[in-house]
């Protein structure tokens, strides 16, 4: 089958072996998949993943022991947990030490004609939701993870550092509790729809002139160490700095000043799919302004080349 | 008056000028003061403080506009806040941007025959509480700050990294919600009383052999970057790493792994005095095993020399 593979080099493969049906899993034919910055990082060596890329998808179950799922349109959580260890028993399946991760860690991803995922990871998509919306479920769930981890108050002032795909989704989710959200970015051409949503914007270049009061919560979505430094500068004493983006290696923060200012630093990753589906179905999060380009899976290499530094590039399978 | 001063060099000064009585403040004659690791750090340049050292004390008010305080035995919070800015209005007086800090930042400290502190910082000491107990109020309050910042569950497994003064107080406070506390240290001679309190201990050298399950909460009290690395290693995914100690400059943590493991990192500093006084008065925290030596203020330089790497050294004024 056709697949986009990374094996030390990004390749399009025409004869990648089809996955077999495994116990407790479903075979899924994706209809639309998204390219995430993590996919791009993997092609630079992140996680050492070799195999099919991709973890953002909407598709249809074509084979499964449980006949109920066959024919269902689904999205899916990316962490395939063992569901039998102490970590899973605690409800932290996304941190299972025995997990594989779709298209990221020892499990082939979704940029292929067929892939396999445990049934426990699947969520049926409401009939009325277009594929182009459903394909955002995974990153929207990652944005909702912040609300899962942290009590965001309606009176909070929140800054989102970074106006990439994840930043624009996090900003939209963070406004939901009623708070005052400002996006710090470098791409004004992406901001028009934010104004309609009453989300403020400041250009990174103008940060010093803007004299922003310190924020209660700052979410780092830039994917760059410089964004982390900016985020640290913007957070008030006793405020919270949420780190959403994974970037290369170590980053230095002044730990003594974190103690003096009693900053809370929170790492944040995968989140609740059911909440993300409800929010998308209920129109709480806009996704259309985030789509930069569509390619066919056969043009996957061209799509990857086009995806760096852009908003969401999606692939039709 | 006699004072222990740091002005680029640690000195005993016999003719330091007596403080004048200021509006809203009280003049206090300390009876017992403690040497904190922060005092030692200041003699190495931390905070750039020049002036009288010391911030842990119990003493008696000798002059105050409000006659009620005169003659009261008191302890005192160390942050002298403006109580008129937005940060103070929010209740974050210990983070007031206009604050001075007793013996640490632009305010003479307690290692003198007399010092001044705002009345708003004072707490009367219960009559039955010995000076040798009351002098621990400030560091015990710092330990209670963890319970103020974080919901510690009775079912939590908690590790305290460091068996210095602050570590031994934090361990005692952290056991109060009923949880299972383990101290990781390098001074077994300090641990006997911990066993009586049902607090477990592991030697840092034996950490690899101990095969400890990851902890829900890890509190870094070692004062060394290596302690922070140990603490990070001990915390479970989605667990919390509390940083209590301030140490030199930047310390590198792998930020990507903080995101992947969704670790919460919390800086923690000064805490609630009223809670600390109640706990000390009610016998919840043992302080006698923490006193390593007593000196008179006149032997202050000798006391400082003796304090490095020791438990609490106290000075009688």
């Amino acid at each position: 089958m056709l697949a986009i593979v990374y094996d030390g080099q990004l390749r399009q493969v025409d004869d990648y072996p089809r996955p077999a049906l495994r116990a407790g899993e479903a075979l899924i034919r994706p209809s639309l998949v998204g390219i995430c910055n993590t996919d791009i990082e993997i092609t630079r060596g992140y996680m050492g993943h070799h195999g099919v890329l991709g973890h953002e998808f909407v598709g249809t179950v074509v084979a499964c022991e449980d006949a109920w799922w066959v024919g269902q349109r689904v999205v899916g959580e990316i962490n395939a947990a063992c569901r039998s260890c102490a970590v899973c028993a605690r409800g932290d399946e996304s941190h299972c030490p025995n997990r594989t991760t779709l298209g990221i860690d020892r499990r082939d991803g979704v940029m292929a004609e067929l892939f396999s995922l445990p049934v426990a990871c699947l969520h049926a998509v409401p009939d009325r939701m277009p594929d182009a919306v459903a394909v955002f479920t995974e990153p929207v769930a990652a944005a909702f993870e912040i609300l899962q981890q942290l009590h965001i108050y309606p009176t909070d002032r929140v800054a989102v550092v970074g106006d990439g795909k994840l930043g624009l989704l996090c900003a939209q989710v963070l406004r939901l509790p009623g708070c005052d959200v400002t996006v710090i970015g470098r791409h004004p051409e992406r901001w028009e729809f934010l104004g309609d949503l009453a989300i403020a914007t400041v250009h990174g270049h103008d940060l010093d002139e803007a004299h922003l009061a310190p924020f209660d919560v700052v979410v780092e979505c830039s994917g760059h160490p410089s964004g982390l430094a900016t985020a640290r500068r913007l957070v008030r004493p006793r405020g919270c700095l949420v780190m959403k983006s994974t970037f290369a290696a170590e980053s230095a923060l002044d730990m003594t000043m974190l103690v003096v200012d009693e900053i809370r630093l929170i790492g944040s990753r995968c989140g609740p799919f059911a909440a993300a589906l409800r929010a998308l179905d209920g129109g709480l999060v806009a996704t259309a302004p985030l789509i930069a380009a569509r390619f066919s899976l056969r043009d996957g290499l061209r799509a990857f080349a086009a995806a760096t530094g852009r908003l969401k590039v999606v692939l039709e399978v």
Side-chain angles (χ1 to χ4, degrees), chain A residues 170-233:
Chain A
C170 284
Q172 291 188 71
V173 168
L174 287 161
R175 81 182 176 120
L176 297 177
C179 45
D180 178 2
V181 177
T182 300
V183 171
I184 322 291
R186 297 186 176 271
H187 304 87
E189 70 279 8
R190 300 175 180 174
W191 298 350
E192 194 177 326
F193 83 104
L194 295 179
D196 296 341
L197 304 178
I199 293 172
T201 47
V202 175
H203 198 293
H205 287 145
D206 302 331
L207 217 46
D208 290 331
E209 291 76 52
H211 297 302
L212 296 172
F215 290 85
D216 303 299
V217 176
V218 182
V219 180
E220 202 294 303
C221 296
S222 76
H224 297 284
S226 68
L228 183 62
T230 297
R232 172 64 186 90
R233 195 151 54 88

Side-chain angles (χ1 to χ4, degrees), chain A residues 35-241:
Chain A
I35 298 181
C36 170
N37 280 354
T38 302
D39 301 319
I40 296 167
E41 287 292 322
I42 287 171
T43 67
R44 296 168 180 162
Y46 177 63
M47 293 301 290
H49 176 67
H50 282 193
V52 180
L53 290 177
H55 58 275
E56 299 179 1
F57 75 95
V58 53
T60 303
V61 174
V62 296
C64 183
E65 286 172 339
D66 181 346
W68 186 86
W69 283 105
V70 178
Q72 289 286 337
R73 197 161 61 112
V74 296
V75 291
E77 301 185 42
I78 71 174
N79 298 289
C82 75
R83 294 179 191 263
S84 61
C85 71
V87 174
C88 288
R90 196 172 60 215
D92 290 341
E93 289 90 350
S94 62
H95 293 274
C96 169
N98 309 313
R99 73 187 183 275
T100 58
T101 309
L102 187 63
I104 295 178
D105 189 20
R106 288 166 297 131
R107 174 175 284 268
D108 276 336
V110 303
M111 295 180 183
E113 293 175 84
L114 214 59
F115 67 93
S116 181
L117 197 59
V119 169
C121 294
L122 301 183
H123 295 257
V125 175
D127 288 341
R128 66 177 181 183
M129 187 183 292
D131 279 353
V133 173
V135 74
F136 283 94
T137 308
E138 198 277 335
V140 170
F144 270 103
E145 178 70 355
I146 303 170
L147 301 194
Q148 189 73 18
Q149 294 177 293
L150 191 64
H151 181 180
I152 304 272
Y153 293 82
T155 52
D156 276 345
R157 292 181 66 249
V158 177
V160 173
V161 178
D163 57 0
K165 302 176 267 289
L166 190 57
L168 296 177
L169 292 175
C170 284
Q172 291 188 71
V173 168
L174 287 161
R175 81 182 176 120
L176 297 177
C179 45
D180 178 2
V181 177
T182 300
V183 171
I184 322 291
R186 297 186 176 271
H187 304 87
E189 70 279 8
R190 300 175 180 174
W191 298 350
E192 194 177 326
F193 83 104
L194 295 179
D196 296 341
L197 304 178
I199 293 172
T201 47
V202 175
H203 198 293
H205 287 145
D206 302 331
L207 217 46
D208 290 331
E209 291 76 52
H211 297 302
L212 296 172
F215 290 85
D216 303 299
V217 176
V218 182
V219 180
E220 202 294 303
C221 296
S222 76
H224 297 284
S226 68
L228 183 62
T230 297
R232 172 64 186 90
R233 195 151 54 88
L234 291 173
V235 70
R236 70 163 169 85
R238 282 190 173 152
C240 186
L241 198 172

